[in-house]
Structures are given as structure tokens and as C-alpha cells.
Amino acid sequence: MILSVNGMAVAVGADAPPEFVAARELLRQRAVEVGLLDAAVEDEAEIDGAIEALLEKEVATPVPTEAECRRYYEQNPTEFESGDLVHARHILFQVTPQVNVPQMRARAEEALNTLLAEPDRFAAMAAELSNCPSGEQGGNLGQVSRGDMVPEFEKALFKFGASGILRDLVKTRYGFHIVAVDQRIPGHRLPFDVVQEQIAARLRSRVEEKALRQYVCVLAGQAEIEGVQLEASESPLVQ
């Protein structure tokens, strides 16, 4: 596909949207116009560098104020909460294509019944029976947060009230698990000071994106473009 920007033919590759190609050509031509790039240059890295210099020169992106950051923090409280954590252990009875599943389940249930009666034997039985490398550390999984484990396992760990050795086996794609939840650490809201820079970067990125879109609209409003439709405006006050 070929499109034209101010009479300059530009090839569009299979992976590049024509709108992006047209916008980049507008920016390249503007960089040439203001003396940041020689029109004969074809090196992509040099063109990209000139475009970056152009945007830095002509596209204003104000730094978000502390008040703006704090307002975002107050309006989006769930974005800045540390997740719940649990300290957990498990014993895995792995299910593979060669395994007799009913026999494996029966073996796991027998071990679970033993541990419910004698919980102090967990580490020893993990070392003896578990098909997970954690068995060498008594089945210890350390601190686990949401998203660390497969959904079926996570559901059991974070179920309300789950504590100690769970009374039911947990079935996952890997097999049957005996699970012990040893400690819960509830999530909490991170202080504003900790996340202020993160918020500022996020808000600045939004401003930069909007300013760039507006800038390209103005360039498009002053250009002759064929082969693709770009949003255009003759006014710099594009909304």
C-alpha cells in the first residue's frame, strides 16, 4: 500500500497501520522544516531521534502538580493497595497420564486424615510424599500473593476463614494438594508519598499522549494527505 503526504509517497508495511505511517511522515517532514533533520536522511534511528527532538521542542507536557497527583490518589484508592499475603505449605500428589487417579486420591486423603490428627508431622510427610520440590523444605511455599498460583489453588488459599491444615484436598491441574495456611497478612493502602512518583508518571504519560495527538491533528490540518484519513484541525486548540 502507498499513501502520500504533501506529495511524498510513503510505503506502508504489512505490520504498520497506515495512520501511524502517515503521522510519522508528518513529524519527519516537520523535523526537516525546522532544521532538525536533513531531508536526504534515510536512517530510521536518526529520523526517530529527530522526531523525539521535535516533540521535545514543540509539544509542551507540563509536570503534574502534587495536588493533581493527590486527587488521583484519592479518586482511585484500589489501585494503591498492597495485596493480601498468606504463608502456606502444601504436599502435592501429582497426577500424570500414567497415574491411577482414584488410587492417588485415596492415598492423598489417607495422608490428609493422618495430618489432621497429627499436624506436627507435616514437614516429615512433605519430605516423604510430596512431588513438589518444596517437599525438601517441609512443603513450605513462603509468602504467596494473589496471582502467584493457579486459580484453583489460589481460591483455596484466600478463601475467607481458611486457616491451618485445610480439611479438604485441593484439586488442581497438577494433582491433589494437602494445604496448610499458616498466616495471613491483610493488604493495606500504600501511603501517598510511596506512590506519588508513580502517579505523576502515569498522569504525565496521559498528557503527553493527548498533546501528541493534538499536535499531529494540527499538522494534518495543514497537510495534503492521500490514501488514509487522519483526524485534522487547523486550530492548535484541538480537544
Side-chain angles (χ1 to χ4, degrees), residues 178-193:
I178 297 174
V179 178
V181 176
D182 296 325
Q183 183 184 7
R184 293 184 172 279
I185 305 174
H188 64 279
R189 192 178 186 191
L190 298 172
F192 174 72
D193 292 346

Side-chain angles (χ1 to χ4, degrees), residues 7-225:
M8 176 71 69
V10 186
V12 180
D15 298 331
E19 294 83 3
F20 172 82
V21 174
R24 186 174 185 276
E25 177 59 19
L26 281 172
L27 294 170
R28 187 198 70 81
Q29 291 183 16
R30 178 60 179 170
V32 171
E33 182 182 345
V34 300
L36 294 172
L37 181 69
D38 189 292
V41 170
E42 296 183 355
D43 181 75
E44 295 295 326
E46 190 171 346
I47 293 172
D48 287 342
I51 290 174
E52 288 182 13
L54 172 71
L55 297 178
E56 186 173 331
K57 178 182 179 181
E58 296 201 336
V59 180
T61 53
V63 176
T65 65
E66 179 178 338
E68 290 170 331
C69 292
R70 190 173 292 279
R71 184 162 55 249
Y72 184 91
Y73 175 78
E74 297 297 339
Q75 291 174 349
N76 301 274
T78 59
E79 289 189 28
F80 308 106
E81 291 182 355
S82 65
D84 296 341
L85 297 173
V86 296
H87 285 269
R89 295 172 291 160
H90 83 141
I91 299 173
L92 170 63
F93 294 82
Q94 189 175 22
V95 171
T96 64
Q98 293 77 33
V99 165
N100 183 308
V101 175
Q103 287 183 3
M104 181 63 76
R105 184 182 189 106
R107 186 183 179 198
E109 287 179 341
E110 181 181 359
L112 174 59
N113 289 332
T114 297
L115 288 173
L116 289 173
E118 304 175 70
D120 292 343
R121 292 182 58 187
F122 198 103
M125 292 184 69
E128 177 187 353
L129 301 174
S130 185
N131 298 120
C132 176
S134 64
E136 297 179 6
Q137 288 78 46
N140 184 28
L141 295 172
Q143 283 189 355
V144 179
S145 61
R146 294 183 188 275
D148 287 348
M149 302 293 179
V150 295
E152 316 93 285
F153 196 85
E154 179 179 299
K155 182 178 179 180
L157 285 182
F158 291 96
K159 183 178 180 180
F160 180 76
S163 180
I165 298 175
L166 305 188
R167 304 194 67 83
D168 296 308
L169 295 175
V170 176
K171 174 71 170 68
T172 72
R173 68 196 71 174
Y174 300 108
F176 301 101
H177 306 254
I178 297 174
V179 178
V181 176
D182 296 325
Q183 183 184 7
R184 293 184 172 279
I185 305 174
H188 64 279
R189 192 178 186 191
L190 298 172
F192 174 72
D193 292 346
V194 173
V195 297
Q196 182 177 356
E197 289 188 8
Q198 175 187 338
I199 295 172
R202 183 176 304 177
L203 294 180
R204 184 176 176 84
S205 177
R206 291 182 179 181
V207 171
E208 288 176 346
E209 182 181 347
K210 181 178 180 180
L212 175 58
R213 187 168 59 249
Q214 292 175 342
Y215 182 65
V216 170
C217 283
V218 172
L219 293 181
Q222 300 166 351
E224 294 182 4
I225 302 173

